[in-house]
Amino acid sequence: MTTADVLDHEPAGPDPVRPFAAYPTAALMAIATRPDVVFTRGRGSWIWDSEGRRYLDFVQGWAVNTLGHAPAAVATALHAQAQCLLQAGPGFYSDRAAELAARLAALSGLDRCFIANSGAEANEGAIKLARKFGQAHRGGAFEIVTFANAFHGRSLATMSASGKPGFERLFEPKVAGFPKARLNDLDSVAACVGSRTVAVMVEPIQGEAGVIEASDGFLRGLRRFCDERGLLLVLDEVQTGIGRTGSMWAHTRSGIRPDILTLGKGLGGGVPIGAVLARESACCFEPGDQGGTYNGNALVCAAALAVLDVVAAPGFLAAVESRSARLRAGLDRVAARLGLPPSDGRGLLLAIDLPHHRVAQDVADAARSRAGHDGVVPGLLVNPVRRKRLRLMPALDVGEAEVDEGLAILGSLLTRGA
Ligand SMILES: *Cc1c(COP(=O)(O)O)cnc(C)c1O
């Protein structure tokens, strides 16, 4: 959409202009340092705040809005499903849950699916499945090798599995059994493996760490290593799955297949969902081992099916790659002008380093707060993923004009005073 189109298509808000201070934001627990902005509506790559300012959104709910804000495909599916069946309960089959499981199995080449409510819950399920496998087949082995700087979620077990600096001291004691290896270092994995090891769990691209790729060679080596040692390979594709990196799964490019695959974020296109997929030989849950009241909720499954219809349609992922190429080329031009290395990442999960005198949080704040109250001059939402690194995760159907507009804003912010 061009700026003129956007202004024409601004969705009506419940309160078109209401100042930030009028909202009871203090009623929310302070789990993040949030800016003084209340978002009220969005469409595609654009989001509006309660004071009428608009923003080009390259965060998209933290890489969850696969098709941008309020996409018609998801809205229509939710509307139809809401009038039909919300939830039958985890002790029963529903048509949508069965369809989604079969769809994900077919797309991934894996056999069975457990549908969860978030990425953390999906990973928690994968950890439990691996531990059950260890009990059933590996003499009680329970350790899962994970990686420095990994991020697997915020439940106690997934925080313990994570290697995020800053997590070490939180909520002690940790859940035991997650020795840490170094990404792209097979020897460091081997050094963590012993008789109690049952699995290795890795993100194909470490998103929260700042968009750090596991190399194809490393992933292939890990697959071989796990096969030789009888270990399960668990891939956390919560952030990288569902087309985010330009292919349906990030691991496709290395030609490997995991034993267990976890999904979240982009699968729901903005509604909360997660999934664990596994090959038949690893599917050792028995009735009573795993569950959750909302799991397989028909409403959210309908949204995920609508997202998959779009992402798996012929040509969609090729278009993601061409948008990615355009965004990357622009980012790399800015980086070259500043004497910085080119961008990292794949598809529409990209990151760039900042010049030594710039701090990512300040750049993100400046990009956001340039938005004018007239709604004409837009702000830009980007993620300061590390102190000196910005992450971009726009909608997979972001327009070329929007890519160019985002690049122009970023370019002028970064090269100013450089
Ligand atoms: C976001 C994320 C999670 C956690 O997902 P939630 O839905 O926030 O629980 C797990 N793993 C990775 C790789 C993620 O990016």
Side-chain angles (χ1 to χ4, degrees):
M1 281 197 276
T2 65
T3 290
D5 291 335
V6 170
L7 294 178
D8 283 350
H9 290 92
E10 178 175 346
D15 306 290
V17 174
R18 193 174 167 199
F20 172 77
Y23 288 88
T25 51
L28 288 163
M29 287 197 192
I31 54 105
T33 309
R34 300 173 171 122
D36 289 355
V37 169
V38 172
F39 291 117
T40 54
R41 55 212 188 277
R43 180 151 302 167
S45 286
W46 297 90
I47 189 166
W48 283 262
D49 72 20
S50 69
E51 300 183 25
R53 290 171 292 213
R54 74 187 167 103
Y55 307 80
L56 183 54
D57 190 355
F58 282 6
V59 175
Q60 286 292 352
W62 226 266
V64 308
N65 300 323
T66 304
L67 307 175
H69 291 285
V74 173
T76 305
L78 285 171
H79 182 74
Q81 189 63 39
Q83 317 216 334
C84 190
L85 176 69
L86 293 176
Q87 169 70 324
F92 299 103
Y93 292 119
S94 79
D95 50 357
R96 292 295 97 83
E99 284 163 18
L100 180 61
R103 196 79 197 280
L104 289 171
L107 286 167
S108 64
L110 295 167
D111 297 302
R112 291 180 193 241
C113 181
F114 170 75
I115 302 168
N117 306 301
S118 68
E121 203 190 340
N123 284 331
E124 190 87 15
I127 291 165
K128 288 163 76 176
L129 189 60
R131 285 189 172 196
K132 181 79 200 270
F133 186 88
Q135 275 183 352
H137 304 298
R138 302 264 304 168
F142 65 93
E143 287 188 351
I144 301 175
V145 178
T146 58
F147 290 85
N149 300 308
F151 183 79
H152 297 298
R154 289 179 174 276
S155 65
L156 278 175
T158 56
M159 282 184 84
S160 305
S162 298
K164 188 178 162 81
F167 271 13
E168 296 98 346
R169 298 173 326 277
L170 284 172
F171 315 125
E172 291 293 290
K174 287 285 176 301
V175 176
F178 297 101
K180 299 286 177 304
R182 287 182 302 276
L183 196 69
N184 294 325
D185 180 349
L186 263 183
D187 291 341
S188 77
V189 177
C192 289
V193 169
S195 60
R196 302 192 303 185
T197 312
V198 69
V200 178
M201 176 154 130
V202 68
E203 300 156 89
I205 298 175
Q206 292 186 330
E208 300 308 302
V211 188
I212 312 297
E213 267 193 71
S215 71
D216 291 349
F218 178 70
L219 289 176
R220 282 195 286 268
L222 212 48
R223 176 71 275 179
R224 217 176 309 120
F225 179 82
C226 287
D227 287 342
E228 284 162 11
R229 305 289 186 104
L231 305 175
L232 298 173
L233 179 58
V234 183
L235 292 186
D236 176 349
E237 291 231 30
V238 169
Q239 186 155 154
T240 53
I242 317 295
R244 175 55 54 186
T245 68
S247 49
M248 187 58 80
W249 321 112
H251 66 265
T252 313
R253 66 184 154 79
S254 61
I256 63 158
R257 188 177 299 172
D259 301 299
I260 300 175
L261 173 68
T262 59
L263 305 174
K265 293 199 167 83
L267 175 60
V271 306
I273 192 167
V276 186
L277 285 138
R279 65 165 88 220
E280 187 63 41
S281 58
C283 289
C284 51
F285 279 149
E286 295 170 289
D289 287 348
Q290 176 65 335
T293 308
Y294 287 115
N295 294 355
N297 181 279
L299 184 73
V300 299
C301 288
L305 284 162
V307 169
L308 290 175
D309 279 345
V310 176
V311 175
F316 183 86
L317 291 170
V320 172
E321 285 288 32
S322 79
R323 291 171 195 123
S324 167
R326 191 178 186 94
L327 181 54
R328 283 201 96 131
L331 290 174
D332 292 351
R333 273 195 303 275
V334 174
R337 249 192 292 163
L338 295 167
L340 294 169
S343 56
D344 289 301
R346 299 264 175 171
L348 290 171
L349 178 60
L350 299 173
I352 49 165
D353 285 332
L354 296 180
H356 69 275
H357 62 291
R358 303 299 293 273
V359 173
Q361 186 65 58
D362 297 343
V363 174
D365 288 344
R368 186 189 66 253
S369 51
R370 75 191 285 284
H373 277 94
D374 55 6
V376 176
V377 174
L380 173 70
L381 303 185
V382 291
N383 171 239
V385 66
R386 280 163 60 174
R387 207 179 116 73
K388 306 195 73 65
R389 199 160 159 88
L390 289 176
R391 176 173 49 170
L392 309 181
M393 31 195 173
L396 298 191
D397 57 359
V398 63
E400 287 192 348
E402 291 156 347
V403 166
D404 294 347
E405 190 158 358
L407 283 168
I409 295 170
L410 211 51
S412 76
L413 275 174
L414 289 180
T415 52
R416 183 184 306 158

